[in-house]
Amino acid sequence: MLAPPLFALPFPNIDPVLIELGPFAIRWYALAYIGGLLFGWWMAKRLCSSPALWGGHAPIKPEEFDDAVVWIAVGVILGGRIGYVLFYNLPFYAANPWEAFTLWHGGMAFHGGFLGSILAMYLFCRRRSLPFVSMLDIAASVVPVGLFLGRLANFVNGELWGRPTDVAWAFVFPHGGPEPRHPSQLYEAGLEGLAIFILLQIAIRAGALARPGTVAGMFVFLYGCARIFVEFFREPDPQIGYLLGGWLTMGMLLSLPMLALGSWLVWRARRRPALSASAP
């Protein structure tokens, strides 16, 4: 049993709805998705417009990425929702199938959105005869921005809180019971978002885009590490709880394959010639 802390930080009671006009509401969570998509779109086009970062030849043109954004957005939303339904609350949605379509009630899974976006990019690249792995690199370089904004929105919504703790920076969340808890959403924003973004930008400036798969592999591996680490502080979803003896969570389980996939992508990229050696 944790000893009660001397004090807990007051939770900033921010209304999750920014603007409400009759039946229509603009929520911070929706703005996080939109803001992440728009900023990522802008930044990705800058990468496509900077041949030097690719060793002298950008394999994807800015206007080609313009068309890909719609596919990626659909893949993220559909994959995120389907992933949540399948991985986190299947019995409920099996009994209430129409609830699967009520996106405004919440419930998105990163790992589902991750798979959905990969499938969308694969189909788009195949349709346009574009290099799929380079498209993955572009998307991976900007995804941390959306993760950062999304985790901040989770904190504003007072959801996905952490485990009970006696640390000095604990919060008592409005719907998390009386115990002070880790602000695990902020941990995730800092690690999955800010830290990975900085590391990827350093790698890109060091020439990582010239070896297709390096940036994507780094992102997948680093996200898996960050998510597994934060899961030790995050409260598991109540409908699932802990797995395998009370320490493994669904977030950890879904992140473990990412370590192997990310490592393989980087290894594969290092064994192939850089774009500067093979670009027309």
Side-chain angles (χ1 to χ4, degrees):
M1 186 66 133
L2 291 171
L6 296 177
F7 66 93
L9 296 174
F11 182 78
N13 194 17
I14 303 173
D15 192 336
V17 178
L18 176 62
I19 300 175
E20 191 167 6
L21 300 173
F24 301 100
I26 299 177
R27 299 176 179 272
W28 288 107
Y29 196 70
L31 288 179
Y33 265 84
I34 295 171
L37 179 64
L38 292 178
F39 184 85
W41 185 4
W42 170 81
M43 185 177 172
K45 291 188 66 172
R46 286 180 61 87
L47 293 177
C48 295
S49 302
S50 303
L53 296 177
W54 301 84
H57 173 71
I60 297 175
K61 299 176 181 178
E63 57 270 21
E64 290 172 330
F65 192 81
D66 286 343
D67 298 334
V69 165
V70 176
W71 291 61
I72 295 171
V74 172
V76 168
I77 294 172
L78 289 181
R81 186 58 171 176
I82 293 172
Y84 181 80
V85 170
L86 294 180
F87 300 147
Y88 288 95
N89 215 351
L90 183 58
F92 171 78
Y93 290 106
N96 305 275
W98 287 109
E99 282 292 320
F101 300 96
T102 58
L103 295 178
W104 53 92
H105 290 169
M108 298 286 282
F110 167 80
H111 297 90
F114 171 74
L115 294 175
S117 63
I118 288 178
L119 176 60
M121 284 185 281
Y122 173 77
L123 294 175
F124 177 82
C125 289
R126 184 172 180 178
R127 181 184 181 92
R128 297 292 186 91
S129 299
L130 295 173
F132 172 57
V133 178
S134 290
M135 181 68 78
L136 289 180
D137 284 337
I138 296 172
S141 67
V142 301
V143 165
V145 176
L147 290 174
F148 175 76
L149 295 175
R151 294 310 184 190
L152 291 183
N154 290 147
F155 180 77
V156 169
N157 289 347
E159 61 190 4
L160 305 182
W161 51 74
R163 305 182 191 187
T165 182
D166 56 1
V167 298
W169 55 89
F171 286 87
V172 176
F173 290 92
H175 307 292
E179 306 94 345
R181 295 178 175 274
H182 282 287
S184 56
Q185 314 96 322
L186 301 183
Y187 302 169
E188 291 184 279
L191 291 175
E192 299 170 6
L194 186 60
I196 293 180
F197 178 78
I198 292 173
L199 291 173
L200 292 185
Q201 297 313 303
I202 293 173
I204 288 171
R205 269 61 189 178
L209 288 176
R211 292 188 178 274
T214 301
V215 174
M218 287 182 62
F219 168 76
V220 173
F221 180 83
L222 291 172
Y223 178 87
C225 291
R227 181 62 182 267
I228 290 172
F229 175 76
V230 174
E231 285 289 318
F232 285 104
F233 303 95
R234 176 173 164 173
E235 185 77 10
D237 293 77
Q239 70 274 15
I240 298 178
Y242 295 98
L243 308 173
L244 298 182
W247 65 273
L248 184 71
T249 68
M250 181 61 75
M252 291 178 182
L253 185 63
L254 295 175
S255 296
L256 286 173
M258 299 182 75
L259 303 182
L261 176 60
S263 300
W264 177 78
L265 283 171
V266 173
W267 174 81
R268 176 181 178 273
R270 301 305 299 176
R271 289 177 56 86
R272 297 198 168 199
L275 289 180
S276 57
S278 58

